[in-house]
Amino acid sequence: MSYDPNSLVGVPEHGQERIRRARQAEQRGFFTSDLTVNEFLLVKQAGFDPLGLVVGSSIYHIGYQQSNWNQNQEMGVLTQAMYHARELAMTRMEEEADQLGADGVVGVRLDVGRYEWGENLAEFIAIGTAVKHHEGQLHRAPNGRPFTSDLSGQDFWTLLSSGYRPVGMVMGNCVYHVAHQGLRNFFKQIGQNQEMPNYTQALYDARELAMERMEAEADQLQAEGIVGVQLQERSHGWGSHVIEFFAVGTAIVPVRADHEIQQPTMVVTLND
Amino acid sequence: MPLFHRRTDEERQRDEEQRRFQDQAQRDQQQSVASLEAGGLPVAATRRLQEVSSRQRLFTSDLSVDEFLLVKAAGFHPITQVTGSSIYHVGWQRLPGQSVWYRQSEELEVVTRAWNEVRGRALGRLRQEAALAGADAVVGVRVTFQRYDWGHDLIEFNLVGTAIRSISGPHFEEPVLSSLSGQEFWELYQAGYMPAGIVGGSSVFYMAATPQTQWSQSWFGSVFNQELQDFTLGLRVAQHRASTRAYDESRRLGATGIVGMRIEQEQAEYETEINEGQKVTDMIFSAHTLGTAIAQVADRPVPATTPVVVLRK
């Protein structure tokens, strides 16, 4: 999906109304955010002001793909669907942030929900707090979009004070069909202690593909690295043999050469 | 489309390309399976890690920001996430024969070996991946073991961690594995310790019920409070054997100790008939241990600590 900072396509009427109001409120210095008090203060200390809560969502119909009963293979159609839907949600959230004049979005949560009323439907939703720098320093990603990160306010503060900044959330996924065991193999292993190379290979490959795709995204953002990678393994109601691996993390770039942090001291909390 | 559609060159080329791609995927899969059978890594993993070690810039890690900075402060730099996993089929286990006169308790050899082997294979792959990436150590290894719906006799052992390279810290010939967090790694390093490797052990023990316990299982005996000494002992034996295996491994690594050792245990009841119509409930105890062995690399005092009161949890 191409990115248009002035676009509000896909945002419902009430959403547009909310954004309009948030923009007016912004002039008064009013904001909404899901940051905790600690996070709020740390984000401010890092030089940013929260502007408002931004949301992007997409309800997506996931197509059907026939799998080979006895073959390990990637389910391209499903991989594509799961990726595209997440991208739509993220892009809509970024566009909302742009409408508020934000530099980026912190504390992004990316969830997949399924409903009873739609068997092949899934809701993809991205929520975060839009922030803007006090002195108008540009903090965007190289592709012009506002930066996104799933880091907490505390992590955001620590990262900035050590000479790095987030450029964007990067993700990769892979939906994989794990082959059923053939009859011949079944007889071969009856009563035997042995590794299952077929299954091991399937899960290994799927995980590697998801990670590789995430790394490719970070490469595109010219990032130095990715922190806080989460690797999720879920079967979104496709039956037990079809599994999605999803890798997501925050890509970071250095803003200065030295990344020395103050020598930490060890403390003992007297709280229980 | 007309009935006799003559394929254009372009279409033919596309089909050809697709076939080539599928053939390649098939070949890769076969090669991966062969490599896994020999305890090695699948093709995709080898390829990704070779690329990682040849490229200097991009790193990936599941370290949090704090952990990332602390690992850097200790003189290391993250390279990439590494994984090791193995799915294992547990073979057929003969249970010890039971009779009224002779009740036998013993370690269930096949199941025990399966657990120890699946852990060893997954750890071996994690080490191979780290070595391919040119790492000195692996931190923050998280362990999951699970069973899938599609196989009751299958165990999956799965490890994910972050490979790190030494910039100004000590170098190692073989990457050392650890389940320490970034914070713990830094703390230990301040005090002059480095991880030596992840160690663990498993034991599955079959404990036959003694007459005392059988009596307590009967209608009359169930009234009284009493310790079941046989089952207490069975659990203790399983724990002891699992810990001893971890301890032996750490000795082989030349470690000075093990930190963060976790013992997980399970028990299952097993009902057996020892005489016509006389049923007895025996127990199967499993214990699994896993921890990080550490070795002293320098004689440094533990840094001073300050007590603080946090105003909010």
Side-chain angles (χ1 to χ4, degrees):
Chain A
M1 180 172 166
S2 64
Y3 180 73
D4 177 3
N6 299 314
S7 153
L8 275 179
V9 178
V11 178
E13 203 181 310
H14 288 293
Q16 299 193 8
E17 172 68 25
R18 182 173 57 80
I19 292 192
R20 238 186 334 270
R21 243 183 293 148
R23 220 168 354 183
Q24 283 163 13
E26 207 183 300
Q27 260 118 51
R28 292 184 276 126
F30 177 82
F31 66 90
T32 0
S33 87
D34 59 352
L35 300 174
T36 63
V37 174
N38 294 346
E39 287 181 295
F40 166 61
L41 292 175
L42 285 170
V43 165
K44 273 195 92 84
Q45 205 178 76
F48 286 83
D49 285 321
L51 301 177
L53 213 56
V54 283
V55 187
S57 86
S58 159
I59 295 194
Y60 206 89
H61 175 264
I62 296 158
Y64 176 75
Q65 187 174 12
Q66 177 66 43
S67 58
N68 257 343
W69 197 75
N70 59 357
Q71 203 178 3
N72 278 340
Q73 61 178 170
E74 188 180 359
M75 308 286 279
V77 174
L78 301 181
T79 303
Q80 190 73 40
M82 298 298 284
Y83 184 82
H84 187 223
R86 286 194 182 98
E87 207 196 0
L88 278 176
M90 289 289 287
T91 305
R92 286 186 183 137
M93 183 189 72
E94 284 164 11
E95 283 172 356
E96 272 202 29
D98 233 331
Q99 292 288 314
L100 295 178
D103 288 326
V105 188
V106 296
V108 175
R109 297 189 308 262
L110 192 59
D111 286 326
V112 186
R114 285 195 93 96
Y115 295 99
E116 276 179 22
W117 36 267
E119 208 172 303
N120 298 317
L121 298 184
E123 186 194 20
F124 294 81
I125 184 161
I127 306 181
T129 300
V131 295
K132 186 180 173 59
H133 195 261
H134 291 318
E135 279 132 31
Q137 278 178 31
L138 203 60
H139 280 88
R140 293 192 170 234
N143 56 13
R145 298 187 182 204
F147 75 82
T148 47
S149 98
D150 57 357
L151 301 176
S152 67
Q154 285 87 342
D155 283 346
F156 185 65
W157 178 87
T158 320
L159 195 65
L160 284 171
S161 51
S162 68
Y164 288 102
R165 71 179 178 87
V167 272
M169 268 170 88
V170 286
M171 54 197 186
N173 72 333
C174 176
V175 182
Y176 208 88
H177 174 258
V178 181
H180 292 253
Q181 179 91 298
L183 206 60
R184 198 161 62 96
N185 254 332
F186 174 76
F187 279 115
K188 219 167 75 183
Q189 63 155 43
I190 276 188
Q192 298 285 322
N193 249 358
Q194 62 164 225
E195 194 182 21
M196 307 288 290
N198 270 318
Y199 290 163
T200 309
Q201 181 259 330
L203 297 185
Y204 228 112
D205 260 6
R207 205 179 297 121
E208 292 290 339
L209 281 169
M211 271 159 55
E212 201 178 290
R213 287 173 188 156
M214 176 184 70
E215 286 176 17
E217 272 201 357
D219 243 353
Q220 262 176 14
L221 287 174
Q222 298 155 23
E224 189 189 280
I226 310 171
V227 293
V229 174
Q230 293 170 48
L231 207 54
Q232 294 162 8
E233 179 184 338
R234 275 176 75 179
S235 178
H236 301 269
W238 294 309
S240 60
H241 273 257
V242 178
I243 295 170
E244 186 198 30
F245 280 90
F246 178 58
V248 61
T250 297
I252 60 171
V253 290
V255 286
R256 52 166 203 262
D258 76 286
H259 303 295
E260 292 290 307
I261 54 171
Q262 207 187 343
Q263 172 79 3
T265 46
M266 301 215 279
V267 297
V268 180
T269 76
L270 299 181
N271 306 54
D272 51 17
Chain B
M1 203 199 292
L3 193 55
F4 295 104
H5 173 69
R6 190 184 275 272
R7 294 192 307 163
T8 59
D9 276 351
E10 207 174 286
E11 276 177 324
R12 215 168 291 149
Q13 204 175 349
R14 206 180 49 214
D15 285 357
E16 179 66 24
E17 212 161 89
Q18 200 169 1
R19 197 165 37 239
R20 242 204 324 263
F21 180 74
Q22 274 170 359
D23 283 353
Q24 180 65 35
Q26 200 80 44
R27 262 202 306 280
D28 279 359
Q29 225 173 71
Q30 280 162 5
Q31 210 179 327
S32 296
V33 169
S35 160
L36 285 167
E37 269 167 358
L41 299 174
V43 178
T46 317
R47 217 176 274 152
R48 183 177 71 90
L49 290 162
Q50 271 162 356
E51 198 201 323
V52 163
S53 60
S54 66
R55 137 193 100 187
Q56 286 299 310
R57 226 188 57 233
L58 181 77
F59 70 85
T60 56
S61 81
D62 58 356
L63 301 175
S64 69
V65 173
D66 300 337
E67 289 180 286
F68 166 61
L69 294 170
L70 285 170
V71 164
K72 274 184 88 81
F76 291 81
H77 192 73
I79 312 171
T80 179
Q81 267 192 300
V82 281
T83 63
S85 67
S86 174
I87 300 183
Y88 204 87
H89 176 260
V90 183
W92 185 73
Q93 171 73 52
R94 188 193 65 82
L95 293 175
Q98 304 297 343
S99 73
V100 189
W101 313 112
Y102 185 61
R103 312 270 296 130
Q104 198 186 354
S105 300
E106 63 182 27
E107 187 170 60
L108 299 180
E109 199 247 345
V110 177
V111 187
T112 301
R113 207 177 46 217
W115 276 103
N116 283 319
E117 192 131 317
V118 73
R119 188 190 58 251
R121 282 196 169 226
L123 281 169
R125 289 198 179 113
L126 189 70
R127 201 176 300 115
Q128 286 175 49
E129 283 209 352
L132 267 177
D136 285 298
V138 180
V139 290
V141 174
R142 272 167 300 128
V143 185
T144 46
F145 35 85
Q146 59 176 329
R147 288 160 211 268
Y148 285 93
D149 290 346
W150 23 274
H152 297 292
D153 310 336
L154 297 183
I155 325 171
E156 187 195 9
F157 205 90
N158 207 346
L159 303 156
V160 184
T162 299
I164 58 176
R165 183 192 294 132
S166 174
I167 306 291
S168 57
H171 288 279
F172 295 93
E173 245 170 63
E174 242 201 6
V176 290
L177 312 179
S178 80
S179 48
L180 305 172
S181 69
Q183 285 88 347
E184 290 167 335
F185 183 76
W186 178 85
E187 281 168 41
L188 277 177
Y189 188 64
Q190 295 301 303
Y193 289 94
M194 278 294 286
I198 294 181
V199 293
S202 293
S203 173
V204 181
F205 195 83
Y206 186 98
M207 194 70 204
T210 57
Q212 183 215 351
T213 300
Q214 288 172 36
W215 184 67
S216 81
Q217 288 167 355
S218 70
W219 174 83
F220 185 70
S222 63
V223 177
F224 299 97
N225 268 348
Q226 56 185 311
E227 186 185 17
L228 302 179
Q229 279 172 359
D230 47 352
F231 290 169
T232 311
L233 179 71
L235 181 59
R236 190 69 206 97
V237 170
Q239 286 171 345
H240 176 73
R241 292 196 177 183
S243 319
T244 308
R245 285 185 183 124
Y247 174 72
D248 289 347
E249 253 179 59
S250 74
R251 287 290 292 268
R252 270 200 298 282
L253 292 171
T256 35
I258 303 174
V259 291
M261 174 105 112
R262 262 179 23 208
I263 302 188
E264 282 184 22
Q265 62 210 32
E266 275 178 350
Q267 49 252 4
E269 289 182 358
Y270 184 80
E271 200 171 73
T272 178
E273 206 175 76
I274 50 170
N275 205 353
E276 269 171 54
Q278 193 187 349
K279 284 201 175 126
V280 173
T281 307
D282 293 339
M283 285 287 228
I284 298 173
F285 296 101
S286 332
H288 309 288
T289 58
L290 206 69
T292 299
I294 57 169
Q296 197 160 18
V297 289
D299 196 11
R300 285 198 282 263
V302 179
T305 50
T306 327
V308 294
V309 177
V310 181
L311 294 183
R312 184 172 171 264
K313 265 205 276 191

